């Protein structure tokens, strides 16, 4: 989802030489294959958007795959990039790197200040390792080799290209599928897990892609002034959140489902609130442009084309 959106933004900016690979063509957990790819292509810049990604269900069911594959992807790509003269790289992490009980909204310096949320701890540890890989390569080789490897931590993303799998998907694509199917089969009501009161933040994927290119292109002096060698990442979010109930009602409206909504309070809610503090990036000229209703409508159109 994000990789394709970054390609759309780069093309719109006039970049003509963009190299991509599908998972099928290049398995990034295969170190030899990754080294061959970099030696052949020798790119100037790298956006590392590939990862093994999933919601609570997938994270709880496949913890070994989440930690192993994500560690391997990052270690292979960042090291091979360095060995093949890549000067600039952007690593995409996630808001789940922050402690479960981090003060809200979560600032960049909340990293490594407490226990992680247990359900996605293996994924989060791998993402933290990705930030630390970038920082460590910068600290050891930044001056001698002129490398500048940066990290961004997106909030919850959604948009065209999302995974609409009924079990292994994130909340918005999962709800789009459920409400669409309920509408088509005239089911009288849809039941949602939990109370609907937790608050979450969502960002449309094209805004995330613009943020990625924006951070990649920030002058090094600007990046250095606003980060620290051992706290070098930028949060990427809208700065505002909404309740799951509000989200569900918006999705219901966009889809045109006319039945009822029921909440099952006996199912887990997760954290009461997860909002990132993205002031650092907002102050440097990037702000989101696509509102929730518009983003949901575009995503539903994508779902209808790729159910
Ligand atoms: N989506 C979100 O809400 C969200 C939130 C915060 C951060 N992020 C981060 O943003 C980045 C992009 O996420 P996304 O939502 O765009 O996920 P996505 O749509 O699942 O894209 C990830 C891509 O990586 C590929 N991939 C996985 N394992 C691979 C491997 N071993 N070798 C090569 N390619 C591999 C996947 O291919 P297959 O599909 O074929 O496996 C897929 O094309 C990730 O780093 C993710 O952690 C996403």
């Amino acid at each position: 989802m994000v990789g394709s959106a970054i390609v759309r933004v780069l093309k719109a900016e006039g970049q003509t030489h963009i190299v991509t690979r599908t998972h099928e063509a290049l398995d990034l957990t295969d170190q030899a294959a990754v080294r061959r790819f970099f030696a052949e292509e020798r790119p100037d810049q790298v956006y590392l958007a590939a990862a093994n990604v999933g919601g609570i269900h997938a994270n709880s069911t496949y913890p070994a795959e989440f930690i192993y594959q994500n560690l391997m992807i990052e270690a292979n790509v960042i090291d091979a990039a360095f060995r093949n003269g890549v000067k600039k790289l952007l690593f995409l992490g996630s808001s789940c790197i922050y402690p479960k009980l981090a003060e809200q909204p979560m600032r960049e310096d909340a990293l490594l200040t407490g226990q992680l949320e247990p359900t996605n701890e293996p994924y989060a540890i791998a993402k933290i390792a990705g930030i630390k890989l970038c920082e460590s390569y910068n600290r050891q080789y930044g001056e001698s080799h002129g490398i500048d490897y940066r990290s961004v931590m997106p909030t919850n993303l959604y948009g065209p290209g999302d995974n609409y799998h009924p079990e292994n998907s994130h909340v918005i694509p999962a709800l789009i599928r459920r409400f669409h199917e309920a509408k088509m089969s005239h089911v009288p009501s849809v039941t949602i897990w939990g109370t609907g009161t937790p608050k979450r933040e969502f960002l449309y994927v094209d805004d995330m892609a613009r943020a990625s290119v924006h951070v990649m292109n920030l002058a090094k002096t600007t990046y250095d002034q606003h980060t620290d060698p051992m706290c070098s990442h930028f949060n990427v979010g809208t700065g505002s959140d909404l309740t799951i109930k509000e989200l569900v009602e918006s999705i219901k409206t966009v889809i045109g489902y006319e039945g009822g909504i029921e909440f099952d309070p006996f199912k887990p809610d997760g954290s009461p609130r997860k909002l990132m503090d993205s002031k650092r990036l907002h102050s440097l000229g990037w702000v989101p442009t696509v509102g929730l209703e518009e983003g949901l409508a575009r995503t539903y159109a994508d779902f209808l084309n790729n159910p």
Side-chain angles (χ1 to χ4, degrees):
M1 174 170 72
V2 182
S4 306
I6 292 174
V7 169
R8 286 197 291 277
V9 169
L10 290 173
K11 280 190 175 156
E13 289 194 348
Q15 286 284 349
T16 48
H17 197 62
I18 303 168
V19 181
T20 59
R21 286 291 183 281
T22 60
H23 188 173
E24 205 183 6
L26 176 61
D27 178 359
L28 296 172
T29 64
D30 178 342
Q31 187 186 50
V34 174
R35 286 188 176 178
R36 259 195 318 275
F37 167 79
F38 274 93
E40 280 164 15
E41 294 291 348
R42 298 199 58 92
D44 303 315
Q45 298 189 351
V46 172
Y47 289 86
L48 177 49
N52 186 359
V53 179
I56 296 179
H57 176 79
N59 270 277
S60 313
T61 316
Y62 313 110
E65 289 176 26
F66 273 88
I67 190 162
Y68 173 76
Q69 292 181 7
N70 287 312
L71 284 172
M72 292 298 283
I73 290 170
E74 298 151 17
N76 288 341
V77 170
I78 292 168
D79 185 68
F82 168 66
R83 285 165 185 266
N84 288 283
V86 173
K87 300 283 188 238
K88 295 184 80 177
L89 178 144
L90 189 79
F91 169 69
L92 273 75
S94 162
S95 60
C96 68
I97 59 164
Y98 293 115
K100 181 182 164 112
L101 301 177
E103 194 185 317
Q104 302 289 320
M106 300 177 290
R107 288 205 321 255
E108 285 88 351
D109 60 7
L111 182 61
L112 294 174
T113 58
Q115 295 273 319
L116 297 164
E117 161 64 42
T119 44
N120 56 19
E121 187 198 65
Y123 172 78
I125 294 274
K127 290 294 188 186
I128 294 170
I131 303 173
K132 295 299 162 189
L133 274 162
C134 291
E135 290 176 354
S136 303
Y137 277 69
N138 286 341
R139 287 168 57 217
Q140 188 169 342
Y141 304 118
E143 284 200 8
S144 59
H145 291 70
I147 63 161
D148 182 5
Y149 294 176
R150 303 177 176 183
S151 303
V152 282
M153 301 301 121
T155 185
N156 303 301
L157 304 173
Y158 71 100
D162 215 334
N163 163 19
Y164 302 100
H165 189 281
E167 281 148 22
N168 295 340
S169 54
H170 288 124
V171 56
I172 290 183
L175 287 173
I176 286 179
R177 172 177 289 282
R178 289 196 55 207
F179 277 101
H180 173 76
E181 288 175 353
K183 174 176 137 182
M184 300 318 282
S185 49
H186 307 287
V187 173
S189 71
V190 171
T191 303
I192 308 294
W193 275 31
T195 59
T197 56
K199 295 185 89 176
R200 293 289 182 273
E201 178 185 17
F202 297 96
L203 179 68
Y204 187 67
V205 67
D206 286 23
D207 279 329
M208 177 60 210
R210 284 195 310 101
S212 302
V213 175
H214 186 84
V215 170
M216 179 71 108
N217 291 341
L218 283 175
K220 180 155 167 41
T221 45
T222 309
Y223 195 87
D224 291 349
Q225 269 165 11
H226 290 83
T227 58
D228 190 276
M230 294 181 74
C231 184
S232 67
H233 55 287
F234 274 93
N235 287 343
V236 187
T238 61
S240 58
D241 52 4
L242 76 169
T243 65
I244 294 294
K245 186 166 186 285
E246 288 164 335
L247 173 71
V248 167
E249 278 162 1
S250 294
I251 293 178
K252 176 183 157 171
T253 307
V254 164
I255 287 176
Y257 171 66
E258 287 179 351
I261 301 172
E262 282 169 24
F263 289 89
D264 179 353
F266 297 104
K267 291 287 197 300
D269 260 347
S271 313
R273 193 173 189 207
K274 268 189 77 181
L275 176 64
M276 293 215 297
D277 183 331
S278 302
K279 286 198 199 92
R280 187 145 97 168
L281 185 55
H282 292 186
S283 75
L284 293 177
W286 171 86
V287 284
T289 56
V290 181
L292 186 71
E293 295 264 319
E294 184 187 346
L296 288 175
R298 291 193 206 170
T299 312
Y300 184 42
D302 177 64
F303 169 82
L304 292 175
N305 288 328
N306 308 280

